Amino acid sequence: MWQIIGAGAIGCLWATNLLRDGQQVTLITRKNSQTQTLNYQDLQGKRTSFNCRLSTQLSNRDDPILVCVKAPQVKQALLQHRHNISEQQAIILMHNGMGTAEQVTKIFPHNPIICATTTNASLLNAELNIIQTGKGATYLGAFNEQGKSFSILANKLNSALDDTLWCEDIKQKLWLKLLINIAINPLTAIFKVNNGTLAKKHFQRQIAQMINEVMPVLEKEGLLFESHMLLITINNVIQATAANYSSMNRDIYFKRPTENEYISGYLLKKALQYNIETPLIRSLYEQIKEISHQVK
Ligand code: PAF
């Protein structure tokens, strides 16, 4: 059985696809819900409803926990369920940004910790009601030694949503997603534009500068990225999601906490550690912080 913490767009996307595949799911939500029905509209517009077990508590101390809350909520969400998590239970972290695995390891030093990143996209239309908006790939990989023997989990998830792969070098995949988020999210949030607007010359110059700033950090981290390829990848995402508003743009718009600390903030901590200047990334990070304070 899967226990999924977080009934947001990604948690519900996995829950519906796992249920459709005949796997058992308990969706762990913050408050008791009247309804036990998950409504799903796939990319072809086909609507399906699934009965799903909902609970405010983790109940099974063996099966894997898929954590789909946003990065700033991960630590608190797991702390809240701490007494229902056993040492051998695998914890999978799936969200934008980096830095939570380090936090979780401190709280659960013996547990297998697995990091995951996905380019599947969905929209939470209403409570327990999602629309799939994009088909992508999902990568999972071990964050610690204990996590290394859990590649079977990727097979189970792949059976529900294909293009899900176990990855020996998950760090490279996590960083790539981080770099995409560093380039797209703050600019779209500060300038209140959709992703596609970043194709404009003015923004392209800023994205190129950000890439220049991150390159020495990536080198120090032992990551193999080529700046030109990175720009192409970022622009492919901009094109593929042109009509969408980034998650940070939405968070600012709806006056919600952002993932700033786990996106640009994570990069800034690394840059500081290596004594590397990243002025544009810092300035955008500060601007997001400023706007977030204003909306509180
Ligand atoms: O955070 C987001 O919105 C997404 O990760 C991405 C890839 C930037 C597309 O909008």
Side-chain angles (χ1 to χ4, degrees):
M1 183 183 64
W2 289 93
Q3 302 187 93
I4 302 178
I5 302 183
I10 292 296
C12 287
L13 181 70
W14 280 106
T16 48
N17 282 283
L18 286 161
L19 289 165
R20 184 165 66 169
D21 189 48
Q23 302 189 48
Q24 282 184 21
V25 176
T26 300
L27 197 51
I28 313 296
T29 53
R30 257 181 307 186
K31 46 185 176 29
N32 277 317
S33 174
Q34 301 297 327
T35 162
Q36 302 275 316
T37 309
L38 267 178
N39 296 300
Y40 176 55
Q41 182 181 315
D42 69 14
L43 282 173
Q44 287 72 43
K46 190 174 152 223
R47 290 163 204 252
T48 327
S49 294
F50 298 91
N51 278 333
C52 182
R53 189 171 174 269
L54 297 179
S55 175
T56 53
Q57 300 288 328
L58 287 171
S59 52
N60 184 304
R61 291 169 63 86
D62 297 311
D63 292 334
I65 303 166
L66 178 56
V67 185
C68 292
V69 297
K70 289 187 159 202
Q73 291 138 25
V74 168
K75 187 176 162 188
Q76 195 44 45
L78 284 168
L79 273 175
Q80 192 189 323
H81 296 289
R82 178 181 207 160
H83 302 297
N84 290 324
I85 299 176
S86 68
E87 284 188 355
Q88 73 276 7
Q89 219 162 357
I91 301 174
I92 308 173
L93 306 172
M94 191 184 289
H95 53 71
N96 271 347
M98 289 177 77
T100 59
E102 292 84 341
Q103 296 175 339
V104 173
T105 308
K106 281 193 192 136
I107 311 167
F108 301 96
H110 305 292
N111 286 69
I113 314 276
I114 291 150
C115 290
T117 177
T118 188
T119 48
N120 282 300
S122 66
L123 204 73
L124 190 68
N125 220 6
E127 197 185 349
L128 304 177
N129 195 318
I130 55 155
I131 302 176
Q132 184 174 17
T133 50
K135 176 78 191 80
T138 303
Y139 298 101
L140 286 91
F143 179 75
N144 58 5
E145 266 311 298
Q146 300 91 303
K148 285 188 176 161
S149 49
F150 281 82
S151 60
I152 179 82
L153 295 179
N155 301 346
K156 290 188 178 170
L157 290 174
N158 187 57
S159 166
L161 262 177
D162 58 8
D163 280 332
T164 300
L165 299 161
W166 184 258
C167 197
E168 293 304 329
D169 191 8
I170 191 68
K171 187 176 170 188
Q172 184 86 14
K173 300 283 185 212
L174 294 175
W175 268 90
L176 178 59
K177 184 73 194 297
L178 185 82
L179 297 168
I180 292 169
N181 287 134
I182 288 171
I184 297 178
N185 294 26
L187 284 176
T188 51
I190 295 162
F191 294 95
K192 300 181 171 54
V193 293
N194 63 13
N195 294 357
T197 308
L198 300 188
K200 291 195 174 155
K201 223 179 186 168
H202 165 70
F203 291 119
Q204 284 289 304
R205 268 201 299 269
Q206 301 201 49
I207 292 173
Q209 185 181 331
M210 280 192 259
I211 292 176
N212 283 339
E213 290 181 1
V214 296
M215 286 318 284
V217 182
L218 299 176
E219 203 184 311
K220 290 276 186 195
E221 278 288 304
L223 293 156
L224 298 171
F225 283 104
E226 205 269 302
S227 59
H228 182 64
M229 284 310 294
L230 198 51
L231 182 62
I232 291 177
T233 307
I234 292 167
N235 279 330
N236 284 343
V237 176
I238 288 172
Q239 219 170 29
T241 61
N244 297 0
Y245 288 91
S246 77
S247 52
M248 196 174 279
N249 171 298
R250 294 296 82 187
D251 286 340
I252 295 289
Y253 182 84
F254 289 115
K255 303 185 180 353
R256 297 185 299 230
T258 72
E259 299 160 318
N260 198 29
E261 287 305 328
Y262 296 84
I263 295 179
S264 311
Y266 185 80
L267 185 277
L268 289 175
K269 278 190 206 111
K270 290 284 175 188
L272 191 71
Q273 189 183 320
Y274 300 124
N275 253 315
I276 295 167
E277 298 284 330
T278 54
L280 178 57
I281 296 170
R282 174 163 295 283
S283 153
L284 296 173
Y285 163 84
E286 299 291 354
Q287 287 178 61
I288 292 293
K289 243 174 112 169
E290 183 63 32
I291 319 175
S292 314
H293 285 311
Q294 283 166 15
V295 298
K296 265 180 195 154

